[in-house]
Amino acid sequence: MATMISSDSIELSLKDLSLSDGASTNDENSKILKWNLPLKDLYKLACSFYKEKSGKAIHLSYEDNLKLVAFTQQAAHGPLDLSQAPPLGMFDVIGKDRRIAWQQLGTITKLQAMEGFIDLLDRLCPLFKPFVEAIKKDKEEKLRKAEQEQIQRNEAQAAEKVRMAEVQRIEDEKNREELQRRQLQDALNQQTYHQFKEYAEIQFPGNPEQQAVLIRQLQNEHYHQYMQQLQAQVATNYSRLKGDEGADGDVENSPGVGAGTVTSNNEQDAFVANSNAKESSQFEFKEQCDSDNDSGDYAVISPANMWTKADIKLFKQEVTAGKGDGVIRVNHGDTVTVKVPTHEGGSCLFWEFATDNYDIGFGVYFEWGKPPTTEVSVHISESDEDDDTIEEDEEVICAEDLECGPAPGNQLVSSSRMVGPRNPISIIIPIYRRECHQEVYAGSHTYPGEGTYLLKFDNSYSLWRPKTLYYKVFYTR
């Protein structure tokens, strides 16, 4: 009888407590701790424990149950107000006893009533506190696992973002490389289409299908050859740079033209404005230093200066209009040598050049000895292996006084054959492909003595394309 009364009363009290609590009360309760738990949460655990265990795991007296029920009523409604209480029946003994126990609590607050219920239940039932500790540990463990799971989810999301970003980067890189490859191949195909079409019409006259197949084969072969040449050129440049880095000594900056130098054609201002324009000038200078080493021990030649200018259209217009030296068509596989003798009234040689659409190889040599003429001349050969250059397998033996030419009896001696008397040649700038279709390449070199400059424009590496060359050469006093 007593257990039934207490269970029903506790359930009604919990409902009344949930309806009567406001936001302010909830905030107040959350700040009050008992047993390291919010008072309100601990009170709810106590009520649930009492309802579930009463009459089963715990057995309390009638008076103890009345006290517990009275605490729950006080916690839910506050002090008893008989004027607001419903009337009791004549035979409702339990109701009268419950109201008496409630009334005995006097004016204690709801929080005090909750704490009194917890203390009384703890005193009457030793199992209650271990139950609370077990609930608290379980809650802490769940909270810890939830935090760990959240951390793992965050780490997994971050790792997934990094992975997706890397996948996207690789995909973008592949797309960009594929786009560049297609653009390059399309550009090459457009440039060679008419040549290949003429060849295909000769091979398969009146058969457009076979002509189209042959053109595609030729274009694919041309593209692969172009890429192989490009890769070989990159590997050569890398090896040259690595060799420069490992060389003994530091590379000094190339000297500029002195303040008192007077240039013809008003080119001095252009030189001063562009002498420090490009980082590539450092690489040019390394090439120049290499050229001094390659040319032998018979001469000490100051390095050349190289720079670029952006006004390529204006430069071409001036040369075409006759304000420069001229325009030359350099066929595929050919090398053009512009021979410029030193002038008795000059001290420094200047050159400028550009091409249409494609790059071209360029280098500067110097042939020692009194030039037979003072006129600039142009020579075209099918390869660079002519009498004006030094073959790779030749060993150069030079006279002591180089400016006066070779002494009697001194010759250039080849490892494979004897060559007739000739003037020694120094490499000032090795031949290297220049992007002169994008900007004007210019340079200067101080006369090392009496002789002839050999400006090499090399198109021997090109299988199909001729190059249109615009160039100017002049000297300063």
Side-chain angles (χ1 to χ4, degrees):
M1 182 69 173
T3 303
M4 291 298 295
I5 293 174
S6 61
S7 298
D8 294 341
S9 301
I10 292 297
E11 185 175 2
L12 291 174
S13 299
L14 285 174
K15 291 181 180 179
D16 293 339
L17 178 63
S18 62
L19 293 174
S20 62
D21 282 345
S24 60
T25 305
N26 191 21
D27 294 339
E28 183 182 0
N29 293 341
S30 62
K31 297 178 182 178
I32 300 175
L33 298 178
K34 187 176 181 64
W35 298 355
N36 292 328
L37 288 174
L39 180 60
K40 184 178 179 180
D41 294 344
L42 182 58
Y43 174 71
K44 288 182 178 180
L45 285 176
C47 292
S48 299
F49 176 81
Y50 175 72
K51 179 182 176 182
E52 293 176 4
K53 305 300 182 181
S54 181
K56 301 176 183 177
I58 57 176
H59 300 277
L60 305 177
S61 64
Y62 178 73
E63 290 77 10
D64 292 335
N65 284 323
L66 286 177
K67 291 178 182 179
L68 292 174
V69 171
F71 277 122
T72 60
Q73 294 295 329
Q74 187 85 359
H77 306 288
L80 176 62
D81 187 359
L82 295 175
S83 62
Q84 299 295 329
L88 297 174
M90 183 180 299
F91 300 102
D92 190 1
V93 178
I94 296 176
K96 291 179 180 180
D97 293 340
R98 188 170 57 187
R99 283 193 178 180
I100 293 171
W102 184 2
Q103 191 173 11
Q104 289 176 351
L105 295 178
T107 59
I108 64 174
T109 63
K110 293 182 179 181
L111 296 178
Q112 291 173 340
M114 293 180 187
E115 189 173 5
F117 180 86
I118 295 170
D119 292 338
L120 179 58
L121 184 61
D122 180 41
R123 188 171 64 253
L124 296 175
C125 181
L127 297 178
F128 173 61
K129 193 165 186 177
F131 168 79
V132 173
E133 293 294 336
I135 294 294
K136 185 170 65 173
K137 289 183 180 180
D138 183 65
K139 184 177 181 180
E140 291 174 352
E141 183 66 19
K142 289 181 179 179
L143 182 61
R144 186 185 62 81
K145 289 183 178 180
E147 291 177 352
Q148 289 182 348
E149 291 176 357
Q150 184 62 36
I151 293 174
Q152 292 176 356
R153 283 194 297 268
N154 294 340
E155 292 177 352
Q157 291 176 358
E160 181 66 15
K161 287 182 180 180
V162 172
R163 189 188 68 82
M164 293 300 298
E166 182 66 16
V167 170
Q168 186 64 35
R169 187 191 65 78
I170 295 174
E171 187 67 22
D172 293 342
E173 185 68 21
K174 289 182 180 179
N175 294 337
R176 184 164 54 254
E177 291 177 356
E178 179 65 19
L179 179 61
Q180 292 176 352
R181 186 194 67 78
R182 291 182 180 179
Q183 290 176 346
L184 176 60
Q185 191 167 11
D186 290 343
L188 293 175
N189 292 344
Q190 291 177 3
Q191 295 163 5
T192 59
Y193 174 74
H194 296 289
Q195 298 176 3
F196 292 158
K197 187 173 185 300
E198 293 176 359
Y199 178 77
E201 288 175 349
I202 296 174
Q203 297 296 320
F204 301 99
N207 192 338
E209 294 182 357
Q210 290 292 335
Q211 293 176 11
V213 172
L214 180 58
I215 290 173
R216 285 195 297 270
Q217 291 176 351
L218 292 173
Q219 287 176 338
N220 290 334
E221 182 179 357
H222 177 235
Y223 171 75
H224 291 302
Q225 290 177 349
Y226 178 85
M227 294 304 296
Q228 289 175 357
Q229 291 179 355
L230 186 62
Q231 292 173 358
Q233 187 66 39
V234 171
T236 301
N237 296 343
Y238 179 77
S239 299
R240 180 178 300 168
L241 286 173
K242 295 295 288 184
D244 292 339
E245 292 175 359
D248 293 336
D250 296 332
V251 179
E252 299 179 355
N253 293 328
S254 58
V257 179
T261 305
V262 180
T263 62
S264 60
N265 297 333
N266 298 323
E267 293 297 332
Q268 179 64 25
D269 293 340
F271 169 72
V272 174
N274 292 281
S275 60
N276 296 322
K278 289 281 185 179
E279 293 181 0
S280 60
S281 61
Q282 297 178 357
F283 181 72
E284 301 290 351
F285 178 69
K286 290 180 180 179
E287 291 183 339
Q288 296 154 14
C289 294
D290 291 342
S291 69
D292 289 346
N293 296 332
D294 296 340
S295 59
D297 298 331
Y298 58 85
V300 177
I301 298 181
S302 62
N305 296 300
M306 287 285 289
W307 65 94
T308 59
K309 301 196 303 184
D311 51 349
I312 187 170
K313 292 184 179 179
L314 179 60
F315 173 77
K316 291 179 181 179
Q317 291 174 359
E318 292 178 354
V319 175
T320 305
K323 297 181 181 180
D325 289 85
V327 182
I328 302 176
R329 178 182 174 86
V330 186
N331 291 322
H332 62 85
D334 288 353
T335 298
V336 171
T337 303
V338 179
K339 295 187 176 182
V340 186
T342 56
H343 196 278
E344 60 182 5
S347 62
C348 184
L349 178 70
F350 283 78
W351 61 84
E352 295 179 351
F353 66 92
T355 57
D356 285 337
N357 302 325
Y358 311 109
D359 62 358
I360 197 169
F362 174 74
V364 180
Y365 296 75
F366 187 79
E367 182 177 2
W368 297 85
K370 184 176 181 61
T373 178
T374 59
E375 299 294 327
V376 176
S377 59
V378 178
H379 300 264
I380 301 176
S381 61
E382 293 184 356
S383 69
D384 195 34
E385 297 178 358
D386 53 15
D387 292 339
D388 298 326
T389 60
I390 302 175
E391 297 183 3
E392 294 182 357
D393 59 348
E394 291 180 350
E395 179 182 0
V396 180
I397 302 178
C398 302
E400 295 179 358
D401 188 1
L402 298 175
E403 296 189 9
C404 297
N410 282 345
Q411 298 177 345
L412 290 177
V413 181
S414 172
S415 61
S416 60
R417 66 185 183 278
M418 294 297 294
V419 183
R422 58 176 292 175
N423 294 328
I425 295 175
S426 296
I427 304 175
I428 298 175
I429 301 176
I431 296 177
Y432 180 72
R433 291 173 68 173
R434 319 286 172 169
E435 300 291 336
C436 50
H437 60 294
Q438 298 178 352
E439 51 191 354
V440 180
Y441 273 71
S444 68
H445 187 257
T446 304
Y447 287 177
E450 192 176 24
T452 303
Y453 283 95
L454 309 177
L455 276 62
K456 297 285 186 177
F457 297 96
D458 182 15
N459 197 32
S460 61
Y461 59 86
S462 179
L463 300 177
W464 310 103
R465 303 191 188 98
K467 310 292 173 61
T468 301
L469 172 67
Y470 304 80
Y471 77 96
K472 292 169 62 177
V473 289
F474 50 92
Y475 66 89
T476 61
R477 297 185 184 278

